[in-house]
Amino acid sequence: MMGLRLQVEIKESLEELEKAVKYATQASTKERLQMLYWLKSSQVTTRSAIAKRLGRDEATITRRFTKV
């Protein structure tokens, strides 16, 4: 079963995200930025694909995107 495409507006450029991932100090921040980078670069398009890449549950991915 294919997951639904994530609809996320990402204002940062790929270069900005790449730099932010590199310099992030908190693991959760780094992981969230990595997810945004993958989405922006079209490496992944669904929560299930992100969850599989990270070895996480889809609910965890959803929580990462609902944090303000």
Side-chain angles (χ1 to χ4, degrees):
M1 183 164 144
M2 192 73 169
L4 295 175
R5 288 181 61 91
L6 270 172
Q7 298 294 319
V8 179
E9 181 182 351
I10 304 169
K11 296 178 182 178
E12 297 82 4
S13 69
L14 280 173
E15 294 78 19
E16 290 170 322
L17 288 169
E18 190 173 35
K19 187 174 183 179
V21 168
K22 183 177 180 180
Y23 293 106
T25 56
Q26 288 188 313
S28 61
T29 301
K30 188 179 221 69
E31 189 171 89
R32 187 169 192 273
L33 289 165
Q34 185 66 66
M35 291 187 285
L36 292 173
Y37 179 83
W38 290 336
L39 287 166
K40 181 87 171 189
S41 63
S42 300
Q43 293 181 47
V44 295
T45 57
T46 64
R47 266 192 302 256
S48 60
I50 293 172
K52 186 174 180 179
R53 244 187 202 204
L54 292 174
R56 299 233 183 235
D57 188 85
E58 283 187 53
T60 302
I61 306 307
T62 301
R63 280 193 302 275
R64 291 277 192 263
F65 283 107
T66 57
K67 280 189 171 184
V68 180

